[in-house]
Amino acid sequence: MNTLPSLSVIVCAYTLDRWDDLRAAIGSVRAQNRPADEILLVVDHCQELYERACAAMPGVRVMPNRERKGLSGARNTGVAAARCEVVAFLDDDAAADPDWTDRMLERYDDPDVVGVGGLVRPWWGTGRPVWFPQEFDWVVGCSYRGLPEQPTPVRNFIGANMSFRRAEVDSAGGFRTDLGRVGTRPLGCEETELCLRIAARRPEAVLLYEPAAAVRHHVPETRTTWAYFRSRCYAEGLSKALVTRHSGSRAALASERTYLRSTIPQAFVRTLRPGRPGALRTLAALSAGVCATVAGYVIGRIHSLSSGSAPDRPQQTPELPTDGTPEPFWGSPYALRGWGSHGRKG
């Protein structure tokens, strides 16, 4: 029987406004059937939160972000401080199921698996809006309709629930600090870019989506408005343009092409069925979401090309409205060679 690898769980936080959510996140890790070997809380440039967490969370390694301000720098700080073979990332407003670590770690018995990501269920604070299409749950940082229901290799993970072999993250150079969220600025895709880099370095590497390794992600009322929906879609388009700049459009947009050709048309057909509550508003959301995301991507690409900067250098991005946001995720995973439809290698 194989021994499970050691595990460091990294939670990144930047504000006291989500203190209750943060306590729930840490509590869910402590309550695992298979306890993590260590829990790291990285505080992103918020001294008051750092001091409060140090006093209130014994047994948790609390540390300040020692890199550039933002989620990417905080994650890199956690990876650098981690002592275990696998590093797992949990959002500060997410709570893991009791078997999260077990389900995740058992997949590392395959040496080709370099990362495991899991299901992110939305936990709507005020209930799901009737118009909000499940195909767009990535807007609130959650798994969306269209993802596989069985373990499947994927291109990239959802940032709220993912893990990697620590050595792979180190070898790839960590998360790019010119990508990703800074405070409430709604940019992202740093986890997508890292996954693409890891895959480019090791073509045989497998990034495995394991839906049984599940968490719930708090969705507050502020993220259920039309304004938030549109701004997040637009921001995701901008973020995807930056990833394209670093990784090339073929790799960066492979999953998005599948999403637009398959997932979205199926969503329109499903919504048009008789008796669908809020059908007209859902159709409007589907259309507006696609248009806003494409617009953000086009504007981001134009800005990137007009900047004239080298492909691997950080660049400024167009201004966006600032609103609290989880990790964005847009696209559909695709199967890798050697894996069957049920996530078994064959």
Side-chain angles (χ1 to χ4, degrees):
M1 182 176 181
N2 293 333
T3 302
L4 295 179
S6 57
L7 175 67
S8 301
V9 174
I10 300 170
V11 179
C12 302
Y14 71 95
T15 176
L16 270 171
D17 293 342
R18 301 207 301 217
W19 176 253
D20 290 341
D21 284 335
L22 176 59
R23 289 184 61 191
I26 297 295
S28 73
V29 178
R30 283 175 161 162
Q32 290 295 299
N33 297 337
R34 192 278 192 193
D37 296 278
E38 62 176 355
I39 305 172
L40 292 77
L41 172 61
V42 184
V43 179
D44 188 17
H45 298 270
C46 180
Q47 185 63 25
E48 187 178 2
L49 174 59
Y50 174 77
E51 293 174 356
R52 185 170 181 179
C54 286
M57 296 181 177
V60 176
R61 294 177 61 196
V62 183
M63 62 195 68
N65 177 8
R66 302 190 184 281
E67 292 197 10
R68 180 174 175 176
K69 183 177 182 180
L71 182 57
S72 291
R75 284 174 169 166
N76 287 340
T77 296
V79 172
R83 301 165 179 159
C84 298
E85 299 166 81
V86 172
V87 289
F89 299 91
L90 179 70
D91 268 14
D92 63 340
D93 54 357
D97 286 2
D99 60 350
W100 178 61
T101 57
D102 268 328
R103 298 288 191 169
M104 184 179 292
L105 290 176
E106 66 185 10
R107 287 299 179 175
Y108 284 101
D109 62 354
D110 184 340
D112 287 341
V113 172
V114 299
V116 180
L119 177 72
V120 183
R121 299 188 305 267
W123 176 34
W124 301 89
T126 54
R128 173 190 287 273
V130 67
W131 55 267
F132 204 113
Q134 292 183 35
E135 293 77 8
F136 274 79
D137 279 2
W138 56 262
V139 166
V140 291
C142 297
S143 301
Y144 58 92
R145 178 183 281 158
L147 287 175
E149 297 181 0
Q150 299 291 335
T152 306
V154 296
R155 183 193 67 182
N156 64 279
F157 301 134
I158 300 174
N161 178 11
M162 61 182 180
S163 67
F164 301 93
R165 295 188 192 271
R166 180 167 58 87
E168 295 294 334
V169 179
D170 287 337
S171 297
F175 295 90
R176 292 189 67 106
T177 56
D178 58 323
L179 290 175
R181 187 178 70 223
V182 179
T184 58
R185 186 177 176 84
L187 289 174
C189 287
E190 70 283 356
E191 64 279 334
T192 299
E193 196 275 336
L194 174 63
C195 289
L196 288 170
R197 245 185 304 131
I198 290 174
R201 288 184 65 257
R202 285 188 54 188
E204 78 282 4
V206 173
L207 297 167
L208 188 68
Y209 175 65
E210 171 53 271
V215 307
R216 68 176 189 181
H217 198 181
H218 183 208
V219 184
E221 185 177 7
T222 55
R223 297 176 187 166
T224 62
T225 66
W226 272 97
Y228 180 84
F229 182 84
R230 291 193 303 269
S231 69
R232 276 295 302 111
C233 291
Y234 178 77
E236 182 68 1
L238 287 176
S239 301
K240 196 61 65 178
L242 290 177
V243 174
T244 299
R245 177 172 172 265
H246 296 305
S247 305
S249 61
R250 182 174 181 179
L253 299 180
S255 295
E256 286 69 24
R257 294 187 183 99
T258 301
Y259 180 82
L260 288 174
R261 292 170 182 168
S262 177
T263 303
I264 291 299
Q266 291 177 31
F268 274 98
V269 171
R270 190 179 296 109
T271 304
L272 288 170
R273 290 173 181 168
R276 170 67 160 81
L280 291 178
R281 284 180 289 170
T282 302
L283 290 172
L286 289 167
S287 301
V290 170
C291 290
T293 309
V294 171
Y297 175 78
V298 171
I299 291 172
R301 289 293 288 159
I302 291 172
H303 184 276
S304 176
L305 293 172
S306 64
S307 69
S309 54
D312 57 352
R313 285 168 46 197
Q315 68 168 28
Q316 297 294 321
T317 56
E319 289 301 317
L320 291 166
T322 55
D323 45 13
T325 177
E327 304 309 305
F329 182 81
W330 191 48
S332 178
Y334 59 94
L336 302 179
R337 289 179 299 177
W339 286 77
S341 60
H342 297 290
R344 296 186 182 89
K345 220 173 174 187

Short mmCIF file of all heavy atoms in Angstrom, two decimals, residues 57-118:
data_model
loop_
_atom_site.label_atom_id
_atom_site.label_comp_id
_atom_site.label_asym_id
_atom_site.label_seq_id
_atom_site.Cartn_x
_atom_site.Cartn_y
_atom_site.Cartn_z
N MET A 57 -5.39 32.01 16.04
CA MET A 57 -5.27 30.74 15.32
C MET A 57 -4.01 29.99 15.73
O MET A 57 -3.07 29.85 14.94
CB MET A 57 -5.30 30.99 13.81
CG MET A 57 -6.60 31.57 13.31
SD MET A 57 -6.59 31.83 11.51
CE MET A 57 -8.27 32.42 11.28
N PRO A 58 -3.97 29.48 16.95
CA PRO A 58 -2.81 28.68 17.36
C PRO A 58 -2.70 27.42 16.51
O PRO A 58 -3.70 26.82 16.12
CB PRO A 58 -3.13 28.34 18.83
CG PRO A 58 -4.61 28.44 18.94
CD PRO A 58 -5.00 29.54 18.00
N GLY A 59 -1.47 27.04 16.23
CA GLY A 59 -1.25 25.86 15.41
C GLY A 59 -1.22 26.13 13.93
O GLY A 59 -0.90 25.23 13.14
N VAL A 60 -1.57 27.34 13.53
CA VAL A 60 -1.51 27.75 12.13
C VAL A 60 -0.28 28.62 11.93
O VAL A 60 -0.02 29.53 12.73
CB VAL A 60 -2.78 28.53 11.72
CG1 VAL A 60 -2.66 29.04 10.28
CG2 VAL A 60 -4.02 27.66 11.87
N ARG A 61 0.50 28.33 10.90
CA ARG A 61 1.66 29.16 10.60
C ARG A 61 1.19 30.41 9.85
O ARG A 61 0.86 30.36 8.67
CB ARG A 61 2.68 28.40 9.75
CG ARG A 61 3.33 27.22 10.46
CD ARG A 61 4.27 26.48 9.53
NE ARG A 61 5.35 27.33 9.06
CZ ARG A 61 6.14 27.05 8.01
NH1 ARG A 61 5.94 25.93 7.33
NH2 ARG A 61 7.11 27.87 7.66
N VAL A 62 1.12 31.52 10.57
CA VAL A 62 0.66 32.79 9.98
C VAL A 62 1.88 33.58 9.56
O VAL A 62 2.82 33.77 10.34
CB VAL A 62 -0.19 33.59 10.98
CG1 VAL A 62 -0.72 34.86 10.33
CG2 VAL A 62 -1.34 32.73 11.52
N MET A 63 1.86 34.09 8.33
CA MET A 63 3.01 34.84 7.83
C MET A 63 2.54 35.93 6.88
O MET A 63 1.48 35.82 6.25
CB MET A 63 3.98 33.90 7.10
CG MET A 63 3.38 33.24 5.88
SD MET A 63 4.38 31.84 5.30
CE MET A 63 4.12 30.71 6.68
N PRO A 64 3.31 37.01 6.76
CA PRO A 64 2.95 38.05 5.80
C PRO A 64 3.41 37.69 4.40
O PRO A 64 4.36 36.91 4.22
CB PRO A 64 3.73 39.27 6.32
CG PRO A 64 4.93 38.68 6.99
CD PRO A 64 4.48 37.37 7.59
N ASN A 65 2.72 38.21 3.40
CA ASN A 65 3.16 38.06 2.01
C ASN A 65 4.50 38.77 1.85
O ASN A 65 4.61 39.97 2.07
CB ASN A 65 2.12 38.67 1.07
CG ASN A 65 2.54 38.61 -0.39
OD1 ASN A 65 3.54 37.98 -0.75
ND2 ASN A 65 1.77 39.27 -1.24
N ARG A 66 5.53 38.04 1.45
CA ARG A 66 6.86 38.61 1.30
C ARG A 66 7.19 38.95 -0.14
O ARG A 66 8.32 39.34 -0.45
CB ARG A 66 7.90 37.64 1.87
CG ARG A 66 7.65 37.29 3.34
CD ARG A 66 8.79 36.54 3.97
NE ARG A 66 8.49 36.15 5.33
CZ ARG A 66 8.57 36.96 6.39
NH1 ARG A 66 8.94 38.22 6.20
NH2 ARG A 66 8.28 36.52 7.60
N GLU A 67 6.22 38.81 -1.02
CA GLU A 67 6.43 39.16 -2.42
C GLU A 67 5.52 40.32 -2.80
O GLU A 67 4.93 40.97 -1.94
CB GLU A 67 6.18 37.94 -3.31
CG GLU A 67 7.21 36.84 -3.14
CD GLU A 67 7.20 35.85 -4.28
OE1 GLU A 67 6.54 36.12 -5.32
OE2 GLU A 67 7.86 34.81 -4.17
N ARG A 68 5.41 40.56 -4.09
CA ARG A 68 4.57 41.63 -4.60
C ARG A 68 3.13 41.47 -4.11
O ARG A 68 2.60 40.36 -4.03
CB ARG A 68 4.60 41.59 -6.13
CG ARG A 68 3.79 42.64 -6.84
CD ARG A 68 4.07 42.52 -8.34
NE ARG A 68 3.24 43.42 -9.13
CZ ARG A 68 3.35 43.55 -10.46
NH1 ARG A 68 4.24 42.82 -11.11
NH2 ARG A 68 2.57 44.39 -11.11
N LYS A 69 2.49 42.57 -3.77
CA LYS A 69 1.13 42.54 -3.26
C LYS A 69 0.20 41.86 -4.26
O LYS A 69 0.25 42.10 -5.45
CB LYS A 69 0.64 43.96 -2.97
CG LYS A 69 -0.76 44.02 -2.36
CD LYS A 69 -1.16 45.45 -2.05
CE LYS A 69 -2.53 45.50 -1.39
NZ LYS A 69 -2.94 46.90 -1.08
N GLY A 70 -0.66 40.99 -3.75
CA GLY A 70 -1.60 40.29 -4.60
C GLY A 70 -1.63 38.81 -4.29
O GLY A 70 -0.78 38.27 -3.57
N LEU A 71 -2.61 38.12 -4.85
CA LEU A 71 -2.81 36.71 -4.57
C LEU A 71 -1.63 35.86 -5.05
O LEU A 71 -1.22 34.91 -4.38
CB LEU A 71 -4.11 36.24 -5.21
CG LEU A 71 -4.51 34.79 -4.97
CD1 LEU A 71 -4.62 34.48 -3.48
CD2 LEU A 71 -5.82 34.47 -5.68
N SER A 72 -1.07 36.19 -6.21
CA SER A 72 0.05 35.40 -6.73
C SER A 72 1.25 35.47 -5.79
O SER A 72 1.88 34.45 -5.48
CB SER A 72 0.45 35.88 -8.12
OG SER A 72 -0.55 35.58 -9.07
N GLY A 73 1.58 36.68 -5.33
CA GLY A 73 2.69 36.83 -4.40
C GLY A 73 2.44 36.11 -3.10
O GLY A 73 3.36 35.51 -2.52
N ALA A 74 1.21 36.16 -2.61
CA ALA A 74 0.87 35.46 -1.37
C ALA A 74 1.01 33.95 -1.54
O ALA A 74 1.54 33.26 -0.66
CB ALA A 74 -0.55 35.83 -0.94
N ARG A 75 0.54 33.43 -2.66
CA ARG A 75 0.68 32.00 -2.90
C ARG A 75 2.15 31.60 -2.99
O ARG A 75 2.56 30.56 -2.46
CB ARG A 75 -0.06 31.62 -4.19
CG ARG A 75 -1.57 31.57 -4.04
CD ARG A 75 -2.25 31.35 -5.38
NE ARG A 75 -3.67 31.06 -5.21
CZ ARG A 75 -4.55 31.09 -6.20
NH1 ARG A 75 -4.14 31.41 -7.42
NH2 ARG A 75 -5.82 30.81 -6.00
N ASN A 76 2.95 32.40 -3.68
CA ASN A 76 4.38 32.09 -3.78
C ASN A 76 5.04 32.10 -2.41
O ASN A 76 5.92 31.27 -2.13
CB ASN A 76 5.07 33.10 -4.70
CG ASN A 76 4.73 32.89 -6.16
OD1 ASN A 76 4.31 31.80 -6.56
ND2 ASN A 76 4.92 33.91 -6.95
N THR A 77 4.63 33.03 -1.55
CA THR A 77 5.16 33.07 -0.19
C THR A 77 4.83 31.78 0.55
O THR A 77 5.67 31.21 1.25
CB THR A 77 4.59 34.27 0.57
OG1 THR A 77 5.04 35.48 -0.05
CG2 THR A 77 5.02 34.28 2.03
N GLY A 78 3.60 31.31 0.39
CA GLY A 78 3.20 30.06 1.04
C GLY A 78 3.98 28.87 0.53
O GLY A 78 4.40 28.01 1.31
N VAL A 79 4.17 28.80 -0.78
CA VAL A 79 4.91 27.67 -1.36
C VAL A 79 6.35 27.68 -0.85
O VAL A 79 6.92 26.63 -0.51
CB VAL A 79 4.87 27.73 -2.90
CG1 VAL A 79 5.80 26.69 -3.50
CG2 VAL A 79 3.45 27.54 -3.40
N ALA A 80 6.96 28.86 -0.81
CA ALA A 80 8.35 28.96 -0.35
C ALA A 80 8.50 28.52 1.10
O ALA A 80 9.54 27.98 1.49
CB ALA A 80 8.85 30.39 -0.52
N ALA A 81 7.47 28.75 1.91
CA ALA A 81 7.54 28.40 3.34
C ALA A 81 7.09 26.97 3.62
O ALA A 81 7.37 26.43 4.69
CB ALA A 81 6.68 29.37 4.15
N ALA A 82 6.39 26.34 2.66
CA ALA A 82 5.85 25.00 2.89
C ALA A 82 6.96 23.97 3.04
O ALA A 82 8.02 24.07 2.42
CB ALA A 82 4.92 24.61 1.73
N ARG A 83 6.69 22.96 3.87
CA ARG A 83 7.68 21.92 4.16
C ARG A 83 7.30 20.56 3.59
O ARG A 83 8.05 19.60 3.75
CB ARG A 83 7.84 21.78 5.68
CG ARG A 83 8.27 23.06 6.38
CD ARG A 83 8.05 22.96 7.87
NE ARG A 83 8.46 24.16 8.60
CZ ARG A 83 8.02 24.49 9.80
NH1 ARG A 83 7.15 23.70 10.42
NH2 ARG A 83 8.44 25.60 10.39
N CYS A 84 6.14 20.47 2.95
CA CYS A 84 5.62 19.16 2.56
C CYS A 84 5.73 18.92 1.05
O CYS A 84 6.04 19.83 0.28
CB CYS A 84 4.18 19.03 3.00
SG CYS A 84 3.98 19.12 4.81
N GLU A 85 5.44 17.68 0.65
CA GLU A 85 5.58 17.28 -0.74
C GLU A 85 4.49 17.88 -1.63
O GLU A 85 4.74 18.19 -2.80
CB GLU A 85 5.52 15.76 -0.85
CG GLU A 85 6.62 15.03 -0.09
CD GLU A 85 6.31 13.56 0.06
OE1 GLU A 85 6.56 12.82 -0.93
OE2 GLU A 85 5.80 13.15 1.12
N VAL A 86 3.29 18.03 -1.11
CA VAL A 86 2.16 18.57 -1.86
C VAL A 86 1.69 19.84 -1.19
O VAL A 86 1.59 19.91 0.04
CB VAL A 86 1.00 17.55 -1.93
CG1 VAL A 86 -0.24 18.18 -2.54
CG2 VAL A 86 1.43 16.33 -2.74
N VAL A 87 1.40 20.87 -2.01
CA VAL A 87 0.82 22.11 -1.50
C VAL A 87 -0.59 22.23 -2.06
O VAL A 87 -0.81 22.09 -3.26
CB VAL A 87 1.66 23.35 -1.87
CG1 VAL A 87 2.96 23.36 -1.09
CG2 VAL A 87 1.96 23.42 -3.36
N ALA A 88 -1.56 22.45 -1.18
CA ALA A 88 -2.95 22.62 -1.60
C ALA A 88 -3.39 24.04 -1.26
O ALA A 88 -3.00 24.60 -0.23
CB ALA A 88 -3.85 21.61 -0.89
N PHE A 89 -4.21 24.61 -2.13
CA PHE A 89 -4.68 25.98 -1.96
C PHE A 89 -6.20 25.97 -1.75
O PHE A 89 -6.94 25.37 -2.52
CB PHE A 89 -4.34 26.83 -3.18
CG PHE A 89 -2.87 26.94 -3.44
CD1 PHE A 89 -2.23 26.03 -4.28
CD2 PHE A 89 -2.11 27.94 -2.85
CE1 PHE A 89 -0.87 26.12 -4.52
CE2 PHE A 89 -0.75 28.04 -3.08
CZ PHE A 89 -0.13 27.13 -3.92
N LEU A 90 -6.62 26.65 -0.69
CA LEU A 90 -8.04 26.79 -0.38
C LEU A 90 -8.33 28.27 -0.20
O LEU A 90 -7.60 28.97 0.51
CB LEU A 90 -8.38 26.04 0.91
CG LEU A 90 -9.84 26.10 1.39
CD1 LEU A 90 -10.74 25.31 0.45
CD2 LEU A 90 -9.96 25.55 2.82
N ASP A 91 -9.37 28.77 -0.85
CA ASP A 91 -9.72 30.19 -0.72
C ASP A 91 -10.14 30.51 0.70
O ASP A 91 -10.67 29.65 1.42
CB ASP A 91 -10.85 30.55 -1.68
CG ASP A 91 -10.33 31.06 -3.02
OD1 ASP A 91 -9.12 30.89 -3.29
OD2 ASP A 91 -11.13 31.63 -3.79
N ASP A 92 -9.97 31.76 1.09
CA ASP A 92 -10.32 32.17 2.45
C ASP A 92 -11.82 32.25 2.67
O ASP A 92 -12.28 32.39 3.81
CB ASP A 92 -9.66 33.51 2.81
CG ASP A 92 -10.14 34.66 1.94
OD1 ASP A 92 -10.67 34.41 0.84
OD2 ASP A 92 -9.96 35.82 2.34
N ASP A 93 -12.63 32.15 1.60
CA ASP A 93 -14.08 32.13 1.75
C ASP A 93 -14.66 30.80 1.27
O ASP A 93 -15.80 30.73 0.83
CB ASP A 93 -14.74 33.31 1.01
CG ASP A 93 -14.34 33.39 -0.46
OD1 ASP A 93 -13.51 32.58 -0.90
OD2 ASP A 93 -14.88 34.27 -1.16
N ALA A 94 -13.84 29.75 1.38
CA ALA A 94 -14.29 28.39 1.02
C ALA A 94 -14.11 27.47 2.21
O ALA A 94 -13.29 27.73 3.10
CB ALA A 94 -13.50 27.87 -0.18
N ALA A 95 -14.87 26.39 2.25
CA ALA A 95 -14.76 25.40 3.31
C ALA A 95 -14.70 24.02 2.68
O ALA A 95 -15.52 23.68 1.82
CB ALA A 95 -15.95 25.50 4.27
N ALA A 96 -13.72 23.22 3.10
CA ALA A 96 -13.50 21.90 2.50
C ALA A 96 -14.38 20.83 3.13
O ALA A 96 -14.63 20.85 4.34
CB ALA A 96 -12.02 21.52 2.64
N ASP A 97 -14.83 19.88 2.31
CA ASP A 97 -15.52 18.71 2.82
C ASP A 97 -14.57 17.90 3.71
O ASP A 97 -13.35 17.95 3.52
CB ASP A 97 -16.01 17.84 1.67
CG ASP A 97 -17.21 18.43 0.94
OD1 ASP A 97 -17.64 19.54 1.31
OD2 ASP A 97 -17.70 17.78 -0.01
N PRO A 98 -15.09 17.12 4.66
CA PRO A 98 -14.22 16.39 5.60
C PRO A 98 -13.25 15.42 4.95
O PRO A 98 -12.20 15.13 5.51
CB PRO A 98 -15.22 15.66 6.50
CG PRO A 98 -16.46 16.46 6.43
CD PRO A 98 -16.51 17.00 5.02
N ASP A 99 -13.58 14.91 3.75
CA ASP A 99 -12.68 13.96 3.08
C ASP A 99 -11.86 14.61 1.97
O ASP A 99 -11.30 13.92 1.12
CB ASP A 99 -13.48 12.78 2.52
CG ASP A 99 -14.52 13.21 1.49
OD1 ASP A 99 -14.77 14.43 1.34
OD2 ASP A 99 -15.10 12.32 0.83
N TRP A 100 -11.78 15.92 1.98
CA TRP A 100 -11.08 16.68 0.93
C TRP A 100 -9.63 16.22 0.78
O TRP A 100 -9.18 15.92 -0.33
CB TRP A 100 -11.16 18.16 1.26
CG TRP A 100 -10.45 19.09 0.32
CD1 TRP A 100 -10.69 19.26 -1.00
CD2 TRP A 100 -9.41 20.02 0.67
NE1 TRP A 100 -9.87 20.24 -1.52
CE2 TRP A 100 -9.07 20.72 -0.52
CE3 TRP A 100 -8.75 20.34 1.85
CZ2 TRP A 100 -8.08 21.71 -0.55
CZ3 TRP A 100 -7.77 21.34 1.82
CH2 TRP A 100 -7.44 22.01 0.64
N THR A 101 -8.88 16.18 1.87
CA THR A 101 -7.47 15.82 1.76
C THR A 101 -7.30 14.37 1.33
O THR A 101 -6.41 14.04 0.54
CB THR A 101 -6.74 16.06 3.09
OG1 THR A 101 -7.39 15.33 4.15
CG2 THR A 101 -6.72 17.54 3.45
N ASP A 102 -8.13 13.48 1.84
CA ASP A 102 -8.06 12.07 1.45
C ASP A 102 -8.26 11.90 -0.05
O ASP A 102 -7.48 11.23 -0.74
CB ASP A 102 -9.12 11.25 2.19
CG ASP A 102 -8.60 10.66 3.48
OD1 ASP A 102 -7.40 10.33 3.53
OD2 ASP A 102 -9.38 10.51 4.43
N ARG A 103 -9.34 12.49 -0.55
CA ARG A 103 -9.69 12.35 -1.97
C ARG A 103 -8.61 12.95 -2.87
O ARG A 103 -8.33 12.45 -3.95
CB ARG A 103 -11.02 13.03 -2.24
CG ARG A 103 -12.20 12.44 -1.49
CD ARG A 103 -12.57 11.08 -2.05
NE ARG A 103 -13.84 10.61 -1.54
CZ ARG A 103 -14.50 9.57 -2.01
NH1 ARG A 103 -13.99 8.88 -3.02
NH2 ARG A 103 -15.64 9.19 -1.49
N MET A 104 -8.01 14.02 -2.42
CA MET A 104 -6.98 14.69 -3.20
C MET A 104 -5.68 13.90 -3.21
O MET A 104 -5.09 13.61 -4.25
CB MET A 104 -6.76 16.10 -2.64
CG MET A 104 -5.78 16.96 -3.41
SD MET A 104 -5.64 18.58 -2.63
CE MET A 104 -7.26 19.26 -2.94
N LEU A 105 -5.23 13.52 -2.01
CA LEU A 105 -3.92 12.90 -1.89
C LEU A 105 -3.86 11.51 -2.50
O LEU A 105 -2.81 11.08 -2.99
CB LEU A 105 -3.50 12.85 -0.43
CG LEU A 105 -3.16 14.19 0.22
CD1 LEU A 105 -2.85 14.01 1.69
CD2 LEU A 105 -1.98 14.85 -0.49
N GLU A 106 -4.97 10.77 -2.48
CA GLU A 106 -4.93 9.41 -3.03
C GLU A 106 -4.63 9.40 -4.51
O GLU A 106 -4.16 8.40 -5.06
CB GLU A 106 -6.24 8.68 -2.73
CG GLU A 106 -7.45 9.24 -3.43
CD GLU A 106 -8.74 8.55 -3.00
OE1 GLU A 106 -8.72 7.77 -2.03
OE2 GLU A 106 -9.79 8.81 -3.64
N ARG A 107 -4.88 10.51 -5.20
CA ARG A 107 -4.61 10.59 -6.64
C ARG A 107 -3.12 10.76 -6.95
O ARG A 107 -2.69 10.59 -8.09
CB ARG A 107 -5.40 11.74 -7.25
CG ARG A 107 -6.90 11.44 -7.36
CD ARG A 107 -7.13 10.25 -8.25
NE ARG A 107 -8.54 9.90 -8.36
CZ ARG A 107 -9.00 8.96 -9.17
NH1 ARG A 107 -8.15 8.25 -9.90
NH2 ARG A 107 -10.28 8.69 -9.23
N TYR A 108 -2.32 11.10 -5.94
CA TYR A 108 -0.90 11.27 -6.15
C TYR A 108 -0.14 9.94 -6.12
O TYR A 108 1.09 9.93 -6.19
CB TYR A 108 -0.31 12.23 -5.12
CG TYR A 108 -0.64 13.69 -5.41
CD1 TYR A 108 -1.66 14.35 -4.71
CD2 TYR A 108 0.05 14.39 -6.38
CE1 TYR A 108 -1.97 15.68 -4.98
CE2 TYR A 108 -0.24 15.73 -6.65
CZ TYR A 108 -1.26 16.36 -5.95
OH TYR A 108 -1.55 17.68 -6.23
N ASP A 109 -0.87 8.82 -6.04
CA ASP A 109 -0.17 7.54 -6.12
C ASP A 109 0.34 7.28 -7.53
O ASP A 109 1.20 6.41 -7.73
CB ASP A 109 -1.08 6.40 -5.66
CG ASP A 109 -2.34 6.23 -6.52
OD1 ASP A 109 -2.55 7.07 -7.41
OD2 ASP A 109 -3.09 5.27 -6.29
N ASP A 110 -0.15 8.03 -8.51
CA ASP A 110 0.36 7.97 -9.87
C ASP A 110 1.46 9.02 -10.02
O ASP A 110 1.21 10.21 -9.88
CB ASP A 110 -0.77 8.24 -10.86
CG ASP A 110 -0.34 8.10 -12.32
OD1 ASP A 110 0.87 8.16 -12.60
OD2 ASP A 110 -1.22 7.94 -13.18
N PRO A 111 2.69 8.61 -10.32
CA PRO A 111 3.79 9.58 -10.42
C PRO A 111 3.62 10.60 -11.54
O PRO A 111 4.24 11.67 -11.50
CB PRO A 111 5.02 8.70 -10.65
CG PRO A 111 4.50 7.42 -11.18
CD PRO A 111 3.15 7.23 -10.54
N ASP A 112 2.78 10.29 -12.54
CA ASP A 112 2.54 11.24 -13.62
C ASP A 112 1.62 12.39 -13.19
O ASP A 112 1.58 13.43 -13.86
CB ASP A 112 1.93 10.54 -14.83
CG ASP A 112 2.93 9.69 -15.58
OD1 ASP A 112 4.15 9.91 -15.40
OD2 ASP A 112 2.50 8.80 -16.35
N VAL A 113 0.87 12.19 -12.12
CA VAL A 113 -0.04 13.24 -11.64
C VAL A 113 0.77 14.27 -10.86
O VAL A 113 1.33 13.97 -9.81
CB VAL A 113 -1.15 12.64 -10.75
CG1 VAL A 113 -1.97 13.77 -10.09
CG2 VAL A 113 -2.07 11.75 -11.57
N VAL A 114 0.83 15.49 -11.40
CA VAL A 114 1.61 16.55 -10.76
C VAL A 114 0.72 17.57 -10.06
O VAL A 114 1.20 18.43 -9.32
CB VAL A 114 2.51 17.27 -11.78
CG1 VAL A 114 3.49 16.28 -12.39
CG2 VAL A 114 1.69 17.95 -12.87
N GLY A 115 -0.59 17.46 -10.29
CA GLY A 115 -1.53 18.36 -9.63
C GLY A 115 -2.92 17.76 -9.59
O GLY A 115 -3.29 16.99 -10.48
N VAL A 116 -3.68 18.10 -8.56
CA VAL A 116 -5.07 17.62 -8.42
C VAL A 116 -5.93 18.81 -8.02
O VAL A 116 -5.61 19.52 -7.06
CB VAL A 116 -5.19 16.51 -7.36
CG1 VAL A 116 -6.65 16.05 -7.25
CG2 VAL A 116 -4.29 15.33 -7.70
N GLY A 117 -6.99 19.02 -8.76
CA GLY A 117 -7.95 20.06 -8.43
C GLY A 117 -9.32 19.44 -8.20
O GLY A 117 -9.58 18.33 -8.68
N GLY A 118 -10.18 20.14 -7.47
CA GLY A 118 -11.45 19.54 -7.12
C GLY A 118 -12.66 20.40 -7.43
O GLY A 118 -12.56 21.52 -7.94
#
